[in-house]
Amino acid sequence: MIRRRVRLSCEKIFLPSPLSQNVLRNRSRISVVSFDLDGTLVTREYVDYFWLDLVPRLYAEKYGVELEEAKRKVFASYEEIGSRDTRWYMPSYWFRRFGIEEHLEMALREAAERIKPYEDALETVEKLSGKYTLVISTSAARDFVNLVLERVPFYRYSFKSIFSSSSDFGLAGKPPAFFRKILELLNIDSSEMLHIGDDEENDLKNALEAGINAVLVERNKGHDLRVLLDGII
């Protein structure tokens, strides 16, 4: 595991599809639009830099080893825990484990310099603001969520609620239970919510299992948010 994100290589669903037809049938009921964070609203560059560059670098400096050796040890530790464990998502856990906790705040601030919102995301959020209740539903720890909101104030003012599965509910990834909890907290029916994200399992399959309308964004195929949501909402 060199990349710290869980992604499936199988073909993903895209419009037109039975999913899009389902969303179109229910679009008049949609009142809440939920967005994933990393890979949907902002690029993954900052989190990749944090986990794959900063952590190994600090480990190498701490223990006086070559960077490549540090990467092998750090990545092996990531693999040992795995993404089904909430500790995987927590910077504080890893910095304590590696004995570099005094550098956590510095590392977060350095990674924050690489936060970049997607232009299509900014446009889409602006377009939907005032028409729908907007929320963020992410597996990212609050440490990262707070960084994004600080670096992109527009998001801080545009989203009514932000839900972190790992920090708020002790859940790994975004299982169906996470989406059901959001529905409960917002006091809405599943048909009233549309979730948008870039991960087939966490953002599409699990949201659908919870009964929520869901669509998958695939920018590498030219399917950005503007294209994806055209004709849906």
Side-chain angles (χ1 to χ4, degrees), residues 7 19 27 32 39 47 51 65 114 118-119 122 127 138 156 160 174 182 186 198 201 214:
R7 302 184 64 82
L19 169 61
R27 65 180 174 179
V32 176
V47 285
W51 294 118
V65 299
R114 296 172 181 255
Y118 286 107
E119 285 301 321
L122 292 170
K127 178 181 177 181
T138 179
R156 184 167 69 247
K160 176 183 178 180
K174 282 175 273 187
I182 292 173
L186 295 176
D198 70 314
E201 179 179 359

Side-chain angles (χ1 to χ4, degrees), residues 31-33 35 125 128-129 132-136 158-161:
S31 61
V32 176
V33 181
F35 290 85
V125 170
L128 299 182
S129 293
Y132 300 90
T133 297
L134 304 183
V135 303
I136 294 175
S158 299
F159 289 93
K160 176 183 178 180
S161 301

Side-chain angles (χ1 to χ4, degrees):
M1 180 203 64
I2 298 301
R3 299 166 73 185
R4 271 190 51 107
R5 51 184 182 266
V6 181
R7 302 184 64 82
L8 304 181
S9 59
C10 56
E11 186 66 18
K12 299 181 177 66
I13 297 174
F14 183 68
L15 307 176
S17 70
L19 169 61
S20 67
Q21 295 168 12
N22 179 60
V23 171
L24 288 170
R25 282 198 301 269
N26 294 305
R27 65 180 174 179
S28 63
R29 299 198 62 186
I30 294 172
S31 61
V32 176
V33 181
S34 164
F35 290 85
D36 169 50
L37 185 61
D38 299 328
T40 301
L41 291 175
V42 297
T43 71
R44 294 180 179 276
E45 180 184 351
Y46 81 104
V47 285
D48 283 351
Y49 178 67
F50 182 89
W51 294 118
L52 307 182
D53 292 296
L54 276 177
V55 175
R57 188 189 80 196
L58 292 170
Y59 185 98
E61 293 172 356
K62 169 76 174 182
Y63 297 103
V65 299
E66 295 294 327
L67 182 58
E68 288 307 309
E69 180 182 350
K71 286 185 176 182
R72 285 193 296 272
K73 291 181 179 294
V74 167
F75 296 163
S77 296
Y78 293 161
E79 288 281 7
E80 177 190 334
I81 295 299
S83 61
R84 302 293 183 185
D85 188 316
T86 55
R87 292 176 295 178
W88 161 280
Y89 303 89
M90 300 298 182
S92 58
Y93 164 75
W94 291 107
F95 275 61
R96 285 195 305 271
R97 173 167 173 159
F98 296 141
I100 53 175
E101 57 267 36
E102 69 273 17
H103 300 297
L104 177 55
E105 187 63 27
M106 175 278 296
L108 288 168
R109 292 300 168 190
E110 186 171 334
E113 297 296 323
R114 296 172 181 255
I115 292 175
K116 298 176 183 177
Y118 286 107
E119 285 301 321
D120 63 296
L122 292 170
E123 291 179 23
T124 299
V125 170
E126 182 176 16
K127 178 181 177 181
L128 299 182
S129 293
K131 299 179 182 179
Y132 300 90
T133 297
L134 304 183
V135 303
I136 294 175
S137 305
T138 179
S139 59
R142 281 280 175 180
D143 303 83
F144 294 123
V145 173
N146 292 338
L147 288 183
V148 171
L149 296 181
E150 289 175 11
R151 297 291 294 184
V152 191
F154 174 67
Y155 285 159
R156 184 167 69 247
Y157 302 128
S158 299
F159 289 93
K160 176 183 178 180
S161 301
I162 298 164
F163 304 101
S164 164
S165 62
S166 55
S167 293
D168 299 341
F169 307 116
L171 296 171
K174 282 175 273 187
F178 173 54
F179 292 106
R180 294 189 186 107
K181 186 64 176 177
I182 292 173
L183 293 174
E184 179 185 338
L185 291 172
L186 295 176
N187 193 29
I188 59 173
D189 184 76
S190 60
S191 63
E192 297 177 67
M193 182 169 163
L194 170 66
H195 178 69
I196 304 159
D198 70 314
D199 186 285
E200 184 173 9
E201 179 179 359
N202 286 292
D203 294 310
L204 185 63
K205 293 170 63 178
N206 289 349
L208 289 174
E209 187 175 331
I212 294 171
N213 302 296
V215 289
L216 195 70
V217 59
E218 297 180 289
R219 290 187 177 86
N220 61 335
K221 295 184 178 180
H223 305 158
D224 66 15
L225 290 174
R226 290 166 295 205
V227 174
L228 184 66
L229 297 180
D230 185 34
I232 296 181
I233 56 177

